[in-house]
Amino acid sequence: MDNRIVIFDTTLRDGEQSPGCSMNTEEKLEVARQLSRLGVDVIEAGFPISSVGDFEGVTRVAQEVRGPVICGLSRCNMRDIDRAWEALRHAERGRIHTFIATSAIHMTHKLKKSPDEVLKMAVEAVRHAASMTPDVEFSAEDYTRSDPAFLAEILAAVIEAGATTINLPDTVGYTIPDEYTAKLKDIQERVPQLSGVTLSVHCHNDLGLAVANSLAAISAGVRQVECTVNGLGERAGNCAMEEVVMALRTRHDRLPYVTNVRTEEIYRTSRLVSDITGMPVQPNKAIIGANAFAHEAGIHQHGVIQERTTYEIMDPASIGLTANNLVLGKHSGRHAFEKRLVELGFTLNREAMEKAFARFKDLCDKKKIVADADLEAIVADEVYTVPEEFTLEHLGVMTSQGGMAAAAIRMRQGDTVIEETATGVGTVDAVFRTIDRIAGIPHTLEDYLVQAITGGTDALAEVTVRIRDNGQLYTGRSAHLDIVQASGRAYLQAINKLVYYRRTRAAAPPAPGMEEPAGVTGV
């Protein structure tokens, strides 16, 4: 049996469905380019019919990213599939991924259709997709809670209709490893035709078992794993790409399988996705968390000093945590700056490079040495955003021990300059209240997070803000040497995203036929 595992990355589709993680087209492109450098086999770029923005994102990725297969999701109907292929037709290699629920609970309560109707829809959809591209994936949504006899019938039929990849997802993170293995072996016995297609799994992490279930599936004959960077995804997230890849590499003695992933790009990819989505990586996250290779206990430190493998089962360099030999500071020029960004995997147009370089020089006047993490924060702060409805021109605060804090802010909205002041229980509260007075856009502050980029009192402060409006979450992120400045910029960025995406939805409502929002649809 082939021992190569296809890595199907759905960060841009399922990962983006995490609350507050929506990406605009340029952000999707940057992540897709990095996924190509990482070496994933398939990039699921989005759900083209869900919105004009998603259609544009998939189209641009298909047009501009080479190497991986570019995939678009569609439900089992002709409109979805036509829209998906319209977005994918410029891809070097394009895949249509169509899905329909097969469990009784989904068919009864969500689809309100009989098994015979679902079977007919699936076959017609796959046949239609296969008339456009030879690469068609079919997913039986909620596979782990579906009736095996009905699954056997529908899978045999869609393979005959032209499906070349069959995905058997644990949509709600319900199964456990030995149960999953048994189900997968049973369905392969029931449907001999599965031996002629690629068998895939897509595991959610509701019980914290997504990676374990995916590894169990590989041992049961599955050869494609669907996953996301940092484990992003709906609810508790998906199978974490970095974890399953490094498990295969580290425990090759028990899991004799290989991937095409260039693991040295893992950390860079993780950081990029975290920066763009505003979703921080928890410090104790496996593989890419800040503490993953940290040692505080004296016994551990002594062991690692004597021999790294005493307490490290992976070399930090294997995921891209290497030393920076190029020191950047106030005497560094544009060439050194651009060279380091390229080495870090950034591809910026001239305008974006100019903005980032200006921020870099400004930072150099305040810090002696600029680290890679600082550069990544600068790029994320200046480049990965949306068109600004409001621009911050001045932010000043005043505070005293035991007294109220006050903020004075000047912002621009088009040709109009607006100045306001407000007080608050602290400087950040005063800044947010002042911005709210100027913007005049009702919303709810959901989350406010501050963390230092590097050590020392001259570290950049990275602030992440999430606001909610009518059920939608919007994330703002900014880095600055001053926490108050970073907070104001992050808050305003979130408000600008709210305005931008609200306007985008109003100008381009969901395409006809969307029975449910894209955010709650998919495998």
Side-chain angles (χ1 to χ4, degrees):
M1 184 178 287
D2 183 12
N3 73 335
R4 191 177 79 83
I5 305 302
V6 174
I7 298 298
F8 177 113
D9 187 276
T10 184
T11 303
L12 297 179
R13 200 277 298 172
D14 203 334
E16 195 201 20
Q17 291 176 193
S18 299
C21 288
S22 295
M23 305 178 208
N24 61 38
T25 298
E26 294 303 321
E27 291 169 338
K28 277 200 168 191
L29 263 176
E30 189 62 32
V31 172
R33 291 189 182 108
Q34 179 58 28
L35 290 172
S36 179
R37 285 188 286 267
L38 178 66
V40 304
D41 300 284
V42 184
I43 296 174
E44 187 166 53
F47 192 176
I49 203 169
S50 65
S51 70
V52 172
D54 223 34
F55 174 80
E56 180 186 353
V58 176
T59 301
R60 290 282 300 281
V61 171
Q63 290 172 334
E64 301 182 33
V65 177
R66 293 293 179 258
V69 172
I70 307 301
C71 176
L73 186 69
S74 68
R75 294 167 301 172
C76 282
N77 67 60
M78 304 307 144
R79 290 180 58 85
D80 278 37
I81 292 167
D82 289 343
R83 188 68 165 163
W85 185 243
E86 187 181 353
L88 294 166
R89 60 192 176 90
H90 297 293
E92 185 178 48
R93 292 177 295 159
R95 172 183 297 185
I96 295 175
H97 178 192
T98 189
F99 74 95
I100 197 166
T102 54
S103 67
I105 191 170
H106 275 243
M107 289 189 290
T108 301
H109 299 288
K110 186 182 78 170
L111 297 179
K112 302 189 186 306
K113 295 187 181 297
S114 68
D116 287 343
E117 290 175 306
V118 168
L119 174 62
K120 181 181 179 183
M121 290 172 66
V123 170
E124 289 178 350
V126 169
R127 187 176 294 126
H128 187 55
S131 71
M132 300 173 179
T133 174
D135 193 347
V136 178
E137 177 169 340
F138 172 79
S139 286
E141 185 184 9
D142 205 23
Y143 158 75
T144 54
R145 295 192 296 176
S146 299
D147 174 61
F150 176 60
L151 278 169
E153 184 180 5
I154 196 169
L155 295 183
V158 295
I159 292 171
E160 184 179 354
T164 52
T165 298
I166 296 294
N167 182 38
L168 302 174
D170 185 23
T171 303
V172 293
Y174 178 71
T175 196
I176 58 178
D178 62 338
E179 179 185 48
Y180 207 18
T181 299
K183 284 179 177 289
L184 291 167
K185 288 181 176 178
D186 175 69
I187 199 65
Q188 289 174 80
E189 291 177 1
R190 291 172 182 265
V191 188
Q193 299 94 319
L194 287 171
S195 62
V197 300
T198 299
L199 199 57
S200 175
V201 290
H202 176 119
C203 296
H204 279 262
N205 205 39
D206 297 71
L207 293 176
L209 295 171
V211 172
N213 284 331
S214 297
L215 294 174
I218 290 172
S219 297
V222 164
R223 289 298 175 265
Q224 175 176 286
V225 173
E226 306 194 2
C227 45
T228 61
V229 176
N230 299 341
L232 287 180
E234 292 184 281
R235 303 183 313 279
N238 289 340
C239 172
M241 178 278 302
E242 62 278 359
E243 294 181 26
V244 75
V245 167
M246 291 307 294
L248 294 177
R249 173 171 167 156
T250 305
R251 294 309 311 272
H252 194 70
D253 58 325
R254 296 298 301 270
L255 297 164
Y257 309 99
V258 297
T259 73
N260 285 332
V261 170
R262 292 182 280 276
T263 62
E264 295 77 13
E265 293 286 338
I266 283 177
Y267 180 76
R268 165 76 191 98
T269 309
S270 168
R271 178 66 199 228
L272 176 67
V273 170
S274 178
D275 284 342
I276 286 179
T277 61
M279 185 72 74
V281 175
Q282 66 192 64
N284 64 331
K285 169 77 167 62
I287 314 299
I288 41 81
N291 294 345
F293 295 97
H295 306 278
E296 184 169 342
I299 293 174
H300 286 210
Q301 291 174 344
H302 176 73
V304 170
I305 290 171
Q306 298 301 313
E307 168 54 46
R308 180 188 59 79
T309 57
T310 54
Y311 286 101
E312 287 183 356
I313 62 172
M314 294 168 283
D315 185 344
S318 68
I319 66 165
L321 284 172
T322 54
N324 176 11
N325 296 319
L326 182 61
V327 177
L328 296 179
K330 67 179 182 178
H331 298 298
S332 301
R334 187 184 304 273
H335 179 73
F337 174 74
E338 293 185 5
K339 180 176 183 292
R340 190 58 190 153
L341 287 191
V342 170
E343 290 172 350
L344 290 172
F346 291 106
T347 304
L348 306 184
N349 60 36
R350 179 48 50 192
E351 180 184 358
M353 186 67 77
E354 290 295 331
K355 291 174 65 180
F357 184 67
R359 274 292 303 279
F360 163 69
K361 295 301 285 186
D362 181 62
L363 184 61
C364 286
D365 288 335
K366 301 177 176 70
K367 286 188 72 171
K368 291 183 179 180
I369 295 176
V370 178
D372 284 351
D374 295 322
L375 295 180
E376 292 168 348
I378 287 171
V379 172
D381 197 19
E382 292 297 325
V383 178
Y384 305 129
T385 186
V386 297
E388 294 183 328
E389 176 73 14
F390 301 99
T391 304
L392 185 64
E393 293 195 340
H394 171 79
L395 189 160
V397 295
M398 182 175 64
T399 188
S400 62
Q401 184 174 351
M404 293 289 286
I409 293 178
R410 182 173 66 247
M411 293 189 340
R412 180 178 295 275
Q413 183 180 22
D415 295 329
T416 305
V417 175
I418 311 168
E419 295 183 340
E420 266 291 358
T421 62
T423 58
V425 295
T427 51
V428 172
D429 184 47
V431 167
F432 286 9
R433 287 172 182 267
T434 308
I435 291 175
D436 284 342
R437 281 190 179 184
I438 296 174
I441 298 173
H443 61 268
T444 303
L445 177 63
E446 287 282 321
D447 195 19
Y448 172 74
L449 175 67
V450 181
Q451 56 185 358
I453 296 292
T454 55
T457 57
D458 64 349
L460 281 175
E462 185 177 64
V463 175
T464 302
V465 173
R466 286 192 178 82
I467 62 175
R468 183 182 295 276
D469 172 59
N470 291 327
Q472 298 288 328
L473 277 176
Y474 302 94
T475 299
R477 186 211 148 280
S478 186
H480 199 278
L481 289 169
D482 186 308
I483 291 175
V484 176
Q485 295 284 338
S487 299
R489 291 170 183 268
Y491 192 57
L492 189 57
Q493 186 185 98
I495 290 174
N496 278 326
K497 284 186 177 181
L498 185 161
V499 173
Y500 173 78
Y501 287 114
R502 181 193 286 176
R503 186 174 294 154
T504 299
R505 285 194 301 271
M514 287 292 293
E515 288 88 8
E516 54 188 283
V520 294
T521 313
V523 295

